[in-house]
Amino acid sequence: MLTKRIIPCLDVTLDRAGGCVVKGVEFVDLKEAGDPVELAKRYNEDGADELVFLDITASAHGRETMIDVIERTADEVFIPLTVGGGISSIDAIRQILRAGADKVSVNTSAVKNPDFIKESSDIFGAQCIVTAIDCRRNTDVKNNPEKTILELEDGTPAWYEVVVYGGREATGIDAVQWARRAEELGSGEILLTSMDRDGTCAGYDLPITRKLSEELDIPIIASGGVGNPQHIYEGFSEGKADAALAASIFHFSEYSVREVKEYLREREIPVRL
């Protein structure tokens, strides 16, 4: 049985020092959490399986991802590093991989130009291309009969709408249908973030996580809402995710990666310790 991956996420914004890890609620009200390089070192030593580095304001500000911070981070960690944020060209992917990243995460640029997934996958390989999908629940099912309707925890029917530019713009695109297309175009993984849960510490959005995990053959990384190890356990046991991404519980030292893995192992979730 494949082991489940625990992935700390470094949401980074540009500041005078060159980069600062932040955490907010639904992508706003950002709170500083520390230096990305120092946090990356800590997680590497603590047994994280991978790291995700997201330059969360690059797309909205129309700038490229911070190459220098990636280089410094890659020099300090010896686990796979995925980088995302403002990536919209083959040249940008090439620069980021040369800077030391193992994978790139594409989001807004892929929604705007789906063929970008195919082009980048053909050049660099599907194993290097992660499609990040940010989505929100939309309960307007009457006017959206062509969408993939799921049942929420309380029985309410809803579909999940893809949002871009760090959650600032709704697209009208169905998240399940978009995930299927991303897989067909050559994406090697899906990084799924529920905007409704981001930073809330209320647990993963299990209906959409489970749906994608069951529908797709590529790995699903659950993201958004972790407040304790039980939430990660539920992401694996109920959401059927292949990997669990978390930020706040690790950044602010509420739990260590090792503590989470020991909790999961006690509940018979296969993890690498």
Side-chain angles (χ1 to χ4, degrees):
M1 183 181 294
L2 291 175
T3 58
K4 301 294 188 178
R5 292 171 287 152
I6 302 300
I7 307 176
C9 180
L10 306 174
D11 289 336
V12 183
T13 60
L14 195 62
D15 66 4
R16 292 176 187 174
C20 179
V21 176
V22 295
K23 192 69 193 99
V25 176
E26 297 182 21
F27 291 15
V28 296
D29 298 327
L30 301 178
K31 177 181 178 182
E32 292 189 5
D35 176 77
V37 179
E38 292 305 313
L39 283 174
K41 285 171 62 177
R42 188 174 95 197
Y43 298 141
N44 181 75
E45 293 165 359
D46 197 30
D49 297 294
E50 297 184 19
L51 283 176
V52 167
F53 177 111
L54 297 178
D55 187 342
I56 62 171
T57 56
S59 286
H61 293 172
R63 61 170 172 78
E64 295 184 349
T65 311
M66 317 170 209
I67 295 295
D68 62 320
V69 183
I70 297 166
E71 288 175 338
R72 290 191 287 120
T73 303
D75 284 345
E76 298 290 347
V77 302
F78 306 97
I79 52 178
L81 174 63
T82 299
V83 173
I87 300 172
S88 59
S89 70
I90 295 300
D91 185 57
I93 294 176
R94 188 172 286 112
Q95 286 185 53
I96 289 166
L97 295 177
R98 283 177 178 169
D102 300 277
K103 310 175 193 177
V104 296
S105 169
V106 294
N107 188 338
T108 300
S109 58
V111 174
K112 300 294 183 181
N113 176 24
D115 286 338
F116 182 49
I117 297 175
K118 178 170 174 32
E119 183 183 6
S120 56
S121 179
D122 286 348
I123 293 172
F124 301 104
Q127 78 284 350
C128 287
I129 308 302
V130 179
T131 299
I133 299 178
D134 299 335
C135 61
R136 285 188 191 278
R137 296 175 171 190
N138 190 323
T139 55
D140 181 10
V141 299
K142 183 178 179 181
N143 297 313
N144 293 281
E146 78 286 1
K147 308 300 187 187
T148 307
I149 309 302
L150 303 181
E151 186 176 292
L152 304 182
E153 296 87 348
D154 62 0
T156 300
W159 61 284
Y160 285 78
E161 183 173 14
V162 174
V163 294
V164 293
Y165 295 117
R168 295 169 178 82
E169 181 181 306
T171 65
I173 297 170
D174 178 275
V176 177
Q177 296 167 14
W178 171 230
R180 289 195 199 110
R181 189 175 180 199
E183 180 179 36
E184 291 168 358
L185 288 166
S187 181
E189 289 183 279
I190 300 293
L191 170 54
L192 174 70
T193 301
S194 168
M195 294 283 298
D196 300 288
R197 294 301 180 95
D198 180 70
T200 64
C201 297
Y204 292 123
D205 195 321
L206 297 177
I208 185 64
T209 304
R210 181 167 51 247
K211 180 65 174 176
L212 293 195
S213 297
E214 291 174 345
E215 288 270 330
L216 276 61
D217 292 325
I218 58 176
I220 305 299
I221 305 169
S223 170
V226 171
N228 56 54
Q230 174 69 19
H231 292 152
I232 294 179
Y233 171 74
E234 291 168 354
F236 291 137
S237 61
E238 297 180 43
K240 302 183 180 181
D242 299 276
L245 183 144
S248 298
I249 65 168
F250 297 140
H251 296 343
F252 302 115
S253 299
E254 296 171 36
Y255 300 92
S256 69
V257 173
R258 181 160 294 278
E259 285 172 335
V260 168
K261 286 190 171 187
E262 289 172 350
Y263 178 93
L264 293 170
R265 187 170 65 173
E266 290 171 0
R267 286 153 184 79
E268 300 185 345
I269 299 293
V271 292
R272 180 182 62 84
L273 272 170

